[in-house]
Amino acid sequence: MDDLYTVSPRISALLAGSAARRVGFDLAARKAALARLSATILAHRDAIAAAVAEDLAKPATEADLVEVLPVLSEIAHARRHLRAWMRPRRVMPTLMTLGTSAALYPQPKGVALVIAPWNFPFLLALSPVVSAIAAGNAVAVKPSELTPATSALIARILPQALPGLAEVFEGGPEISQALLAQPFDHIFFTGSPGVGKIVMAAAAKHLTPVTLELGGKSPVVLGEDADITRAAKWIAWGKVVNAGQICVAPDHVYAPQAMLPALGAAIRAEWQAMAKAGTTAIVNDRHYARLTALLADASAKGAQVEALGPDRPEARQMSARLLTGTTAEMAISSEEIFGPLLPLIPYRDLAEPIAAINAGPKPLTLYAFGGTDLVARLRAETSSGSLGVNLTIMPFIHANLPFGGIGNSGMGAAHGQMGFDSFSHLKPVMQNRFTLLPLMFPPYTGRVKRLKDLVLRLVR
Ligand code: NAD
């Protein structure tokens, strides 16, 4: 673990370097840095798979698919589009500003802090780094202490790939807090809403802007016309990958009452087929106990629980559970599940799930399975970070879509150009060409008053 006293000098070094780089960290240098990062990741693919396997028992193919591939594709996307993103964005004049020209010049904010969670320990630490570097910043990274093997690997390879541009600080909340006490130019935090509040309060001391990628419950709603087999496949996948420990995992499912038995059977079949190859472990004993307690609480209060396979608690392997008969009094109905448990909730009228969703904190993602009427109603009548239709998880990986929450699920956006913009100041630069505004400067003669009345008529 890092010595607290090493935090300040290492950040100062980043700050000093960054001031110099603001001048010279141009398109070519940023692309070269991103290319080095990509090459380093490729050279360490096996080590990354081994580290996430040690931390989370993640199958190697899944490590490649969900940890390495999205970072490499984020880098490739940034390198391809960086020239366009860095260009000044011309802005048309308005009536009042005729005779001027203006454009937004993206400028690096400076030195950014990235604080990452454990559930995708490589992806969620590295992906914001790509945006930060693309936008011309230096970056300090605090990976999760709950995945120590991956954190150690990141600490070893990132400063090598990005010398002088990236520093890694391993450790838990105390290191986070030591970092949060520093005057960073931007903070990008991924984690729980509770810690998000701590981060935002700390950022307020320096008026540091924040991007908060938080969690919460992401519900699924099936319409009367949903394709049950398709819905079951996507829902089961969302609970198999990473054992449901995903910020955008389908948390619970609302379905028309008559559909519930067929849906349960289809999810059971899909999950059992997908889980054959092994699933990711629950991250630690505390989280295993948290999930077991959610189940015990639901059972004690009358829910029916069906296990879809055997557990291996010694390896923290938990099989998926379907729950029916859950009620609002159960902890599982209000806490983010973040694991392979899936309440199935029947409804008679679509107004019921819409009211239930609107009564809770705003979800990060909402999933709809069904036709255009269902989608139109959910889109218009609920508020969530994003809406996924006839799929799950995928909105997270679309580089041309901003990813982020609203309200309790977060603020700001990640990925692609939106990620680049989060780490940039879009500086408005306005130039005088032939503006006539000086005609209205004081003293306010009769001519100025007539001109002002004319403009007032025109703007109405
Ligand atoms: P967490 O909030 O407990 O921890 C995240 C990071 O904050 C870690 O690096 C941790 O060391 C640090 N931290 C913890 N307590 C702190 C404190 N008191 N002060 C300062 N820093 C502190 O989250 P987690 O358990 O690692 O991750 C799970 C949560 O993250 C879930 O809520 C999940 O939905 C959310 N999440 C969101 C996204 C997204 O993109 N929106 C992605 C993954 C996870």
Side-chain angles (χ1 to χ4, degrees), residues 25-382:
F25 200 35
D26 59 4
L27 175 67
R30 295 185 202 185
K31 278 186 152 184
L34 291 172
R36 271 200 317 278
L37 183 57
S38 189
T40 306
I41 292 171
L42 275 173
H44 290 85
R45 254 177 72 192
D46 290 346
I48 295 164
V52 290
E54 190 180 331
D55 286 329
L56 291 163
K58 216 173 257 199
T61 306
E62 197 169 305
D64 250 358
L65 263 177
V66 303
E67 301 276 1
V68 173
L69 185 68
V71 182
L72 292 178
S73 93
E74 186 80 40
I75 294 175
H77 185 76
R79 293 188 69 221
R80 199 169 307 125
H81 297 285
L82 196 50
R83 182 186 294 279
W85 297 348
M86 286 173 70
R87 253 186 227 131
R89 303 173 196 179
R90 187 173 290 283
V91 170
M92 293 301 287
T94 59
L95 180 66
M96 287 295 288
T97 56
L98 278 177
T100 65
S101 65
L104 303 177
Y105 283 73
Q107 194 163 51
K109 283 188 176 169
V111 182
L113 171 63
V114 168
I115 302 179
W118 54 263
N119 63 325
F120 291 92
F122 190 77
L123 166 66
L124 295 176
L126 268 288
S127 176
V129 170
V130 176
S131 301
I133 296 295
N137 298 264
V139 63
V141 182
K142 212 297 282 166
S144 174
E145 72 281 13
L146 300 190
T147 44
T150 312
S151 295
L153 181 70
I154 294 171
R156 185 159 64 79
I157 65 176
L158 194 61
Q160 263 175 34
L162 302 171
L165 284 173
E167 289 279 357
V168 178
F169 297 85
E170 288 182 86
E174 68 293 351
I175 287 293
S176 269
Q177 309 228 332
L179 289 164
L180 287 168
Q182 308 291 325
F184 282 99
D185 299 302
H186 190 81
I187 298 174
F188 189 107
F189 171 79
T190 308
S192 57
V195 179
K197 289 174 191 166
I198 295 173
V199 169
M200 198 165 170
K205 293 221 171 69
H206 300 293
L207 293 176
T208 300
V210 290
T211 304
L212 300 178
E213 297 284 348
L214 310 179
K217 294 173 92 62
S218 293
V220 182
V221 183
L222 269 71
E224 298 281 353
D225 54 354
D227 175 336
I228 294 183
T229 312
R230 172 152 79 166
K233 195 182 268 300
W234 283 97
I235 294 165
W237 180 62
K239 287 293 193 187
V240 167
V241 178
N242 231 34
Q245 302 168 107
I246 313 179
C247 55
V248 287
D251 185 275
H252 53 286
V253 178
Y254 298 100
Q257 197 151 25
M259 205 181 260
L260 227 50
L263 179 67
I267 293 175
R268 182 185 313 119
E270 293 290 351
W271 187 88
Q272 286 170 346
M274 291 184 202
K276 253 193 210 129
T279 57
T280 300
I282 303 306
V283 63
N284 58 23
D285 291 339
R286 183 169 61 81
H287 278 278
Y288 200 94
R290 177 184 65 79
L291 291 164
T292 310
L294 283 181
L295 281 174
D297 172 69
S299 296
K301 291 175 180 158
Q304 291 80 54
V305 179
E306 181 198 354
L308 303 186
D311 297 329
R312 283 192 298 121
E314 68 291 353
R316 298 192 308 278
Q317 291 281 345
M318 182 178 277
S319 88
R321 292 337 197 246
L322 297 181
L323 289 90
T324 46
T326 51
T327 59
E329 296 72 48
M330 300 172 185
I332 199 163
S333 302
S334 51
E335 277 179 30
E336 179 180 8
I337 296 174
F338 221 61
L341 321 177
L342 184 68
L344 302 178
I345 304 165
Y347 72 82
R348 284 195 196 83
D349 189 305
L350 187 57
E352 295 164 30
I354 290 177
I357 292 163
N358 289 336
K362 294 182 178 180
L364 186 52
T365 305
L366 176 65
Y367 299 112
F369 283 89
T372 46
D373 290 352
L374 172 85
V375 175
R377 279 201 65 187
L378 289 175
R379 193 177 57 223
E381 294 178 36
T382 65

